[in-house]
Amino acid sequence: MSRRVGQAFIENALRGVPLSVNGDGSDALDFTYIADLVQGLILCIVRPEARNQIFNLTYGDARSLKQMIEVVKRSYRTLWSNTCRATN
């Protein structure tokens, strides 16, 4: 599964291209807000106790691909209608 799914969904929405996923859309990813990621990176750089440590910077709460499609549909609904779906 592509880790750039959010980018692909948004690009397709802007182009009016149907969004689809393989399967039922229940696969889940952790979509991290970029400002949170940047804050985490800054803390890793400036905190002495972070030196030589390993971090997994993520939000910690996954959304299914079906949920992500619904978010994109709500955000870009004026561009197209009924083009987002999960496919088996």
Side-chain angles (χ1 to χ4, degrees):
M1 175 181 346
S2 172
R3 297 296 177 202
R4 297 183 312 133
V5 69
Q7 175 185 342
F9 281 1
I10 291 169
E11 287 175 357
N12 285 346
L14 291 171
R15 293 183 185 121
V17 174
L19 305 184
S20 64
V21 296
N22 293 325
D24 64 2
S26 65
D27 290 333
L29 294 171
D30 194 339
F31 298 98
T32 304
Y33 184 60
I34 191 67
D36 294 339
L37 176 64
V38 171
Q39 180 183 15
L41 290 171
I42 291 169
L43 290 172
C44 288
I45 293 168
V46 301
R47 296 264 177 117
E49 62 267 30
R51 185 178 175 119
N52 295 320
Q53 300 298 312
I54 298 171
F55 296 91
N56 181 8
L57 300 176
T58 185
Y59 178 65
D61 188 22
R63 286 185 189 245
S64 72
L65 296 178
K66 191 182 294 186
Q67 288 172 309
M68 184 63 174
I69 285 176
E70 291 304 316
V71 168
V72 173
K73 281 173 64 175
R74 282 193 310 273
S75 299
Y76 298 94
R77 74 176 122 216
T78 59
L79 298 176
W80 82 97
S81 62
N82 300 320
T83 58
C84 300
R85 66 190 179 284
T87 58
N88 290 324

